[in-house]
Amino acid sequence: MHSFIPPERFFPYLTWTDIQSMPDKENVVIIQPVGAIEQHGPHLPLIVDAAIGVGVLGKAMEKLDASIPAYALPNLYYGKSNEHWHFPGTITLSTATLTTIIMEVGESIYRAGFRKLVLMNSHGGQPQVMQMAARDLHVKYDDFLVFPLFTWRVPNITKDLLTPKEAALGMHAGDAETSIMLSILPEQVKLEKAVAEYPPEQSESSLLSWEGKLPVAWVTRDISKTGVIGDPTTATKEKGDRILESVANGWVQVIQDIYTYRQAKVEKD
């Protein structure tokens, strides 16, 4: 049931008495991986985002110093994936439903006495949901520290291994995701079916972009026929092993930082 997570770090394997007697609960790091079940082109399974999150977290938990108390909650497989729902197999929650789930999970963790919750999101279509839910949880519980983090944003070498075009435009099911899946779940990758497809180019005079500071709202079928936005044909397991190791190392650093983090307090006059 724990998948890639070390069993001693898997929250559901604890008993209620384990949790009741746990020391220094306000600094124990609880991590909620959040993925998605959505299309990833003809060569990758629907589970990509969920698999990457749990695969990275499991590797990080293996590396984490045993003296740092941190536990992984069960992966939340479904996310807000309606940008992909024109491709069969995608399962999506609404923004409201996903927000409610995150809020109620967070409230349960708080009620158990924990005060640090990481929302480890691996799907690019929902960082804003994580950020708003995290803020609302902190507004509701002043001493609850909630960290809405994106799996790929920790320090890592991924972009160094990609072509400049892929690093700039490879947003979905491209080289990086395919390579790391070759490392995590190689038997589920159909590399012979991989195709490269990039989004239509924006006008050079335009300030707008598909992603970035001034984005346009889009759904996948607007910019891709295959569901791929990038070039997976250059993916390799060797590259994926390096990416997995690097992203996991970044997460070790982040978990350590969160463990030692203390709530900021402005002194009142």
Side-chain angles (χ1 to χ4, degrees):
M1 300 300 293
H2 54 280
S3 183
F4 295 106
I5 306 298
E8 69 276 11
R9 296 285 194 179
F10 192 51
F11 188 86
Y13 287 171
L14 299 171
T15 67
W16 76 264
T17 53
D18 291 334
I19 293 169
Q20 183 183 57
S21 62
M22 193 176 291
D24 194 29
K25 267 194 289 190
E26 63 270 21
N27 290 310
V28 174
V29 182
I30 306 297
I31 304 166
Q32 173 64 76
V34 185
I37 300 297
E38 62 183 31
Q39 74 81 26
H40 274 77
H43 68 293
L44 288 178
L46 305 172
I47 202 172
V48 167
D49 292 342
I52 289 173
V54 178
V56 167
L57 182 56
K59 178 72 73 172
M61 291 292 215
E62 289 174 1
K63 294 170 171 283
L64 188 66
D65 191 293
S67 65
I68 296 178
Y71 296 92
L73 294 171
N75 190 44
L76 180 55
Y77 283 92
Y78 302 127
K80 191 203 78 65
S81 298
N82 54 349
E83 71 271 28
H84 295 289
W85 69 7
H86 303 100
F87 294 81
T90 296
I91 298 175
T92 186
L93 304 178
S94 67
T95 299
T97 298
L98 180 57
T99 301
T100 298
I101 291 171
I102 295 298
M103 291 293 294
E104 293 187 358
V105 169
E107 289 169 355
S108 297
I109 292 301
Y110 183 88
R111 194 160 50 245
F114 300 102
R115 296 295 181 264
K116 292 181 178 179
L117 173 64
V118 180
L119 303 177
M120 182 185 181
N121 170 48
S122 299
H123 168 41
Q126 59 198 20
Q128 298 85 353
V129 180
M130 301 298 112
Q131 291 161 9
M132 289 187 288
R135 180 67 55 82
D136 284 351
L137 281 166
H138 182 58
V139 167
K140 188 169 184 178
Y141 304 104
D142 182 65
D143 59 341
F144 198 16
L145 302 178
V146 187
F147 305 84
L149 309 181
F150 191 58
T151 298
W152 294 92
R153 294 261 172 90
V154 299
N156 70 86
I157 64 168
T158 302
K159 287 200 172 183
D160 297 338
L161 304 178
L162 307 178
T163 66
K165 183 176 183 179
E166 183 71 5
L169 298 175
M171 297 186 289
H172 190 73
D175 190 349
E177 285 192 319
T178 303
S179 290
I180 199 170
M181 284 296 289
L182 285 169
S183 180
I184 294 171
L185 287 176
E187 67 278 8
Q188 303 303 329
V189 179
K190 301 174 182 177
L191 201 55
E192 71 280 2
K193 294 187 177 181
V195 293
E197 185 176 2
Y198 288 104
E201 292 185 8
Q202 301 276 15
S203 168
E204 291 186 6
S205 62
S206 177
L207 295 175
L208 304 176
S209 60
W210 300 117
E211 296 281 317
K213 294 181 180 178
L214 300 171
V216 178
W218 51 267
V219 296
T220 308
R221 75 171 180 182
D222 293 338
I223 60 176
S224 175
K225 295 178 182 178
T226 63
V228 174
I229 309 171
D231 184 2
T233 64
T234 56
T236 65
K237 183 181 183 301
E238 184 273 336
K239 196 185 302 182
D241 290 345
R242 293 178 64 189
I243 291 171
L244 177 61
E245 191 79 11
S246 176
V247 180
N249 286 340
W251 270 93
V252 170
Q253 295 178 51
V254 169
I255 295 169
Q256 290 170 340
D257 281 352
I258 291 171
Y259 173 61
T260 59
Y261 184 84
R262 298 297 180 263
Q263 184 170 6
K265 288 287 186 182
V266 176
E267 291 187 11
K268 296 180 181 179
D269 294 331

